[in-house]
């Protein structure tokens, strides 16, 4: 069974930075796409950023220029560097992995809380 474990969340002031980590229990080469989603109270879960095996990235408009997704294949870990944080970035951040070999299989981490407040 695949496990994704997020870490790095916490409380930061507006304008601050955090780096989230998502450690996978198996090689991330097994996944076509890995990404970060977030869900704020009363809102739907939304895509923040994702990265493909080939290294292509995609970002939500709201985080472009502030967040960077990356991966360390040797550590089976995907990162989300978050800079210039805003209060509206407050949410539970979830790691997501997609594996598609004929069919699509999705995996989710348990989430890590990010609170941006003064």
């Amino acid at each position: 069974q695949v496990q994704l474990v997020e870490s790095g969340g916490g409380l930061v002031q507006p304008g601050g930075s955090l780096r989230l980590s998502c450690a996978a229990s198996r090689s991330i080469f097994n996944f076509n796409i890995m990404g970060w989603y977030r869900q704020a109270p009363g809102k739907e879960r939304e895509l923040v950023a994702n990265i493909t095996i080939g290294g292509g990235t995609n970002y939500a408009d709201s985080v472009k220029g502030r967040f960077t997704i990356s991966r360390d294949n040797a550590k089976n870990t995907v990162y989300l560097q978050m800079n210039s944080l805003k209060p509206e970035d407050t949410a539970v951040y979830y790691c997501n992995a997609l594996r598609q070999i004929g069919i699509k299989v999705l995996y989710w981490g348990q989430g890590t809380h990010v609170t941006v407040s003064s």
Side-chain angles (χ1 to χ4, degrees), residues 58-101:
N58 181 58
Y59 297 92
D61 288 341
S62 60
V63 306
K64 287 181 179 178
R66 300 189 298 120
F67 291 10
T68 303
I69 188 170
S70 62
R71 67 188 182 200
D72 186 332
N73 296 326
K75 295 182 178 180
N76 294 338
T77 300
V78 174
Y79 303 97
L80 184 68
Q81 179 66 46
M82 305 186 295
N83 299 324
S84 301
L85 284 162
K86 304 175 181 179
E88 52 262 44
D89 295 318
T90 296
V92 179
Y93 284 70
Y94 297 91
C95 183
N96 166 266
L98 167 67
R99 184 180 186 184
Q100 183 173 12
I101 304 178

Side-chain angles (χ1 to χ4, degrees), residues 11-12 22 31-32 36-37 41-42 47 50-51 55 63 68 75 86 94-95:
L11 173 64
V12 297
C22 172
F31 307 110
N32 298 82
W36 289 93
Y37 288 71
L47 173 69
N50 58 31
I51 186 168
V63 306
T68 303
K75 295 182 178 180
K86 304 175 181 179
Y94 297 91
C95 183

